[in-house]
Amino acid sequence: MSDTSPAHPEPLVLDIWCELQCPDCRSALDDVRALRARYGDRLEIRLRHFPLEKHKHSFAAAQAAEEAVEQGQGWPYIEAVLARTEELDRRGEAVLLDTARELGLDVEEFEVALIDGRHILIVDADQAEGKAIGVTGTPTYVIGGERLDGGKSQEGLRERIEEIADRLLAGAGA
């Protein structure tokens, strides 16, 4: 029996290439929250890692975020770390562990994950894919095959994302 009209259409995907030591990514959180509120489960917002060399703790932060995802607290952890970009710059990995502790996550697993590198492949794959599609800075948004660079200015980006999402969702009959 083939079902040609699924009751739950696939959500539209918004990829956000981000790094957790980036103040521009922190300011993009307001847009992310607004998009989440507007579209709910019709829009799947995925954080994609793009650690920049100029931020020496961003690679560890990306790995820690993946550990938080594994422990079921990905977005709360990501938002909490982004709220502390200056502190992360000053104090380094201690901030990543403190944030995990404050969210009630298994801090020992975070410590081990940062040592054994179990999440490095995910971070590397995200970064490679980002480079392949022309991501050069963060945040960069990709929706419906369109790339929007938020690294220069957040101005008008949410409206542009909403225009694309509305068009694509209307076309999908969602």
Side-chain angles (χ1 to χ4, degrees), residues 119-160:
H119 302 298
I120 285 176
L121 286 177
I122 294 171
V123 177
D124 283 349
D126 273 3
Q127 194 162 36
E129 186 181 333
K131 285 180 180 168
I133 64 167
V135 174
T136 56
T138 58
T140 297
Y141 304 85
V142 176
I143 183 168
E146 287 193 54
R147 192 181 80 231
L148 305 164
D149 180 8
K152 311 263 184 298
S153 166
Q154 302 287 316
E155 197 65 40
L157 267 182
R158 184 167 81 212
E159 292 77 8
R160 186 75 192 105

Side-chain angles (χ1 to χ4, degrees), residues 10-25:
E10 287 290 309
L12 180 60
V13 173
L14 170 63
D15 282 330
I16 305 172
W17 303 88
C18 180
E19 70 115 296
L20 299 184
Q21 204 177 332
C22 170
D24 290 330
C25 289

Side-chain angles (χ1 to χ4, degrees), residues 85-147:
T85 53
E86 291 91 356
E87 189 183 353
L88 180 57
D89 189 46
R90 278 195 326 273
R91 293 183 51 229
E93 290 184 18
V95 172
L96 302 174
L97 301 176
D98 288 350
T99 304
R101 190 173 295 109
E102 288 159 18
L103 289 172
L105 298 172
D106 184 339
V107 178
E108 283 181 19
E109 277 303 308
F110 272 80
E111 290 174 327
V112 173
L114 289 171
I115 292 166
D116 72 14
R118 66 181 74 163
H119 302 298
I120 285 176
L121 286 177
I122 294 171
V123 177
D124 283 349
D126 273 3
Q127 194 162 36
E129 186 181 333
K131 285 180 180 168
I133 64 167
V135 174
T136 56
T138 58
T140 297
Y141 304 85
V142 176
I143 183 168
E146 287 193 54
R147 192 181 80 231

Side-chain angles (χ1 to χ4, degrees), residues 70-87:
E70 207 158 275
Q71 293 190 32
Q73 293 287 320
W75 274 106
Y77 185 83
I78 288 160
E79 292 194 21
V81 171
L82 278 172
R84 302 166 85 164
T85 53
E86 291 91 356
E87 189 183 353

